[in-house]
Amino acid sequence: MKIVVIGLGYVGLPLAVQLAKHFDTVGLDSNAARIAELRDGHDRTGEVDAAALAACGLALTSDAADCSGADLYIVTVPTPIDADNRPDLSPVRSATRTVAALLDAAKTPTVVYESTVYPGVTEDICGPMIEDLSGLVRGRDFFLGYSPERINPGDREHTVDKIMKVLAGENDQVTELLATVYGKVTSGGVFRARSIRAAEAAKVIENAQRDINIAFINEVTKIFSALDISVWDVLDAARTKWNFLPFEPGLVGGHCIGVDPYYLSHRAQELGIDPQVVLSGRAINDGMAQWMADGIHAALGKPGADILILGLTFKENVPDLRNSKVIDLVQALRGHGHSVAVHDPHADPAEARHEYGLDLASMPGEPTYDCVIGAVRHEAFRTLSGADLAAILRPGGLVADIKRMWPAPAADAASTHRYWSI
C-alpha cells in the first residue's frame, strides 16, 4: 500500500513517520523550505527528532507530481479562522485540489481527512470538489474517510503512536481499511465511529468542551479577584475533591481550543441554532487578555512603564505561535500607554516578526524594566528565582505572574519588588 500524507506540520509529520514504519509512505508539503529542513533532520516543531526522521524511511517532497497513484491520501492541513472568526477552509480546499489531480481510478484510492472541521465538510464540500476536479465518481472510483487528529504539541505522553484513533469511512469496507492502517500506527487501538459526520463532530466538541471548562474558571477568576481572593488558592482547595476537574485560568489560544468552537458555532448558526454556551465561552476566553492588562495597569499605578513579557507561544515548552493570545496582552498593555517587549527562547524570531510584527527581546542582564509578566509557563521561566526577577527589575518594580510560576513573597519578607497575580 502506498500512502501520501499531505501537510507536514505538528499533525502530519508524526503521523507520516509512524506510517512509514509499516507502509510505503510519502510526506508532501507545499513549503519547499520545510522539506529541506526535514531532509536535514531538523523538525522546527520539535515533535520528531533527527534520529527518528532518519530511521523511519519516510520519503519527503514538495512536488505533488511525486505523489500520484497512491492507495491512500491523508490530509492533515490546518483549519484556521478568518478575521471575523469564521472557518477558513482554504487550506483544506487547496489540499483537496492537489489530491484530485493525483487520484488514479484504477487504484480506487481512499482520501482521509484529519483536519478539524464541522460536521459535513468531508462529504458535502471535499467529496464534491474531488468529483468536479477529477471527473471521478465517489463511491466507485474513490472513497472518503475521516480520522480526527489528536496531537497535543509538546505532549510526550499522548503521542500519535499511543492514543486511540477515532475513524470512519463512507462504508464498512473503507472503515475496516482505515482500522487496519491506523491500527498499525498506534498501540492505543481504534474506535470505529458510526459515520464520518459523527467522527467530525466528536473532534470539534473535544476542544469546544475544554474551551467552555476553561471559560468557567476564567469567569470565576474575575469574581474572586473582585473579592480579593486568589483563584490559585481556591483551586488548591477545590482540587482535593475527587471529581473536581482541574482546569486552570489563562490565555486560551492555539490552533485548536481557540479555533474549533467557532467551527461548531458557524455550522449551528447556518442551521438557525443560537450556540449560546459555545460562543459565551469563547467570548470570556477572548476577553481575558484585556482583563489581565487592566489589572496589571492598575497595579502599576501609572502609564509609561517599561514591561517585559516572558513567553509568546500559545503553550509551554513548544515553539508554536499560532493564534497566541499573548499578542492580545501586548496590544492591551500598549493601549494603556506602556512600552512592551517580549522574550521567548522557544519562539522563532522570524516567525514572530512575520506573524505579529514583534522583534523578540533578549533577557536583560541588568535592571531594565518596571514590570515583568510571566505569561507562558516555559521551564526556563518557571525556574527563575526571586533574585533572578529582581535583577531585571528597577526598584519597586512589579512581578505579574498570571501562570503561577513563582511563589508570592511572604508579607514580612524584605523585597525590592511588588507582586501581582490573578
Side-chain angles (χ1 to χ4, degrees):
M1 177 178 289
K2 180 178 179 180
I3 300 175
V4 174
V5 177
I6 300 166
L8 298 178
Y10 283 87
V11 175
L13 181 64
L15 175 64
V17 166
Q18 294 301 321
L19 286 167
K21 296 177 181 179
H22 307 280
F23 305 99
D24 177 9
T25 305
V26 181
L28 171 64
D29 198 290
S30 60
N31 185 340
R34 170 71 168 158
I35 295 298
E37 287 180 353
L38 294 175
R39 284 175 175 165
D40 289 338
H42 172 61
D43 171 25
R44 68 173 67 183
T45 70
E47 295 298 313
V48 180
D49 60 33
L53 274 173
C56 70
L58 174 67
L60 296 162
T61 185
S62 59
D63 186 353
D66 297 333
C67 303
S68 61
D71 301 284
L72 182 64
Y73 291 90
I74 303 178
V75 176
T76 64
V77 296
T79 44
I81 52 176
D82 63 19
D84 297 317
N85 293 327
R86 295 175 302 193
D88 177 6
L89 293 175
S90 57
V92 168
R93 292 178 183 274
S94 178
T96 299
R97 282 191 289 271
T98 298
V99 170
L102 300 173
L103 298 182
D104 180 354
K107 293 275 189 90
T108 56
T110 298
V111 183
V112 181
Y113 290 84
E114 290 213 2
S115 305
T116 304
V117 293
Y118 54 81
V121 168
T122 300
E123 295 171 292
D124 298 341
I125 295 178
C126 299
M129 272 191 70
I130 294 173
E131 288 187 314
D132 290 344
L133 293 169
S134 68
L136 303 180
V137 177
R138 173 190 160 193
R140 184 191 71 189
D141 303 321
F142 73 95
F143 297 94
L144 292 176
Y146 186 79
S147 180
E149 61 91 1
R150 283 175 163 171
I151 292 293
N152 183 22
D155 187 338
R156 297 296 174 259
E157 179 182 355
H158 303 99
T159 50
V160 71
D161 58 323
K162 299 174 184 175
I163 59 173
M164 178 168 285
K165 208 73 170 72
V166 172
L167 54 88
E170 64 175 274
N171 59 41
D172 291 343
Q173 290 73 28
V174 175
T175 297
E176 291 311 309
L177 169 67
L178 300 185
T180 299
V181 171
Y182 283 110
K184 292 279 190 181
V185 169
T186 179
S187 61
V190 299
F191 178 86
R192 297 163 177 82
R194 182 63 62 89
S195 65
I196 287 176
R197 279 175 167 77
E200 291 170 323
K203 171 56 183 176
V204 79
I205 70 163
E206 287 173 13
N207 287 331
Q209 182 187 66
R210 287 185 59 80
D211 193 46
I212 291 164
N213 276 300
I214 297 170
F216 170 73
I217 298 298
N218 275 337
E219 185 167 65
V220 299
T221 296
K222 296 179 181 181
I223 296 170
F224 298 148
S225 177
L227 295 169
D228 197 25
I229 304 170
S230 168
V231 69
W232 301 110
D233 293 341
V234 176
L235 291 175
D236 284 344
R239 284 192 184 106
T240 63
K241 189 170 188 286
W242 60 91
N243 60 353
F244 182 80
L245 302 178
F247 290 93
E248 293 186 350
L251 303 172
V252 189
H255 59 97
C256 288
I257 298 178
V259 171
D260 296 351
Y262 287 122
Y263 274 72
L264 182 59
S265 63
H266 169 80
R267 187 66 182 120
Q269 289 166 335
E270 285 185 333
L271 297 169
I273 299 170
D274 181 12
Q276 297 179 46
V277 173
V278 175
L279 288 179
S280 177
R282 259 301 73 217
I284 290 169
N285 289 339
D286 279 345
M288 280 303 287
Q290 183 65 58
W291 181 82
M292 290 177 181
D294 294 345
I296 294 168
H297 172 68
L300 283 166
K302 62 177 182 178
D306 293 316
I307 298 175
L308 177 65
I309 295 180
L310 298 180
L312 179 61
T313 62
F314 89 90
K315 67 177 290 189
E316 65 275 6
N317 302 318
V318 300
D320 197 343
L321 291 174
R322 288 177 294 175
N323 195 34
S324 171
K325 295 302 180 181
V326 176
I327 193 63
D328 294 353
L329 183 62
V330 172
Q331 293 166 348
L333 288 166
R334 287 175 175 172
H336 279 300
H338 303 294
S339 174
V340 184
V342 181
H343 170 68
D344 193 320
H346 288 276
D348 179 75
E351 187 178 356
R353 190 176 305 112
H354 177 267
E355 292 294 323
Y356 303 118
L358 279 179
D359 288 314
L360 294 178
S362 58
M363 198 70 169
E366 58 185 6
T368 308
Y369 294 97
D370 302 302
C371 177
V372 174
I373 302 174
V376 183
R377 198 183 281 143
H378 290 322
E379 187 65 20
F381 299 153
R382 193 186 62 78
T383 55
L384 292 174
S385 66
D388 293 329
L389 296 170
I392 63 177
L393 279 171
R394 294 168 181 152
L398 179 70
V399 173
D401 185 1
I402 64 178
K403 293 300 293 181
R404 203 197 203 184
M405 289 190 283
W406 311 303
D412 58 349
S415 178
T416 60
H417 60 264
R418 298 173 292 138
Y419 181 86
W420 178 92
S421 186
I422 55 179

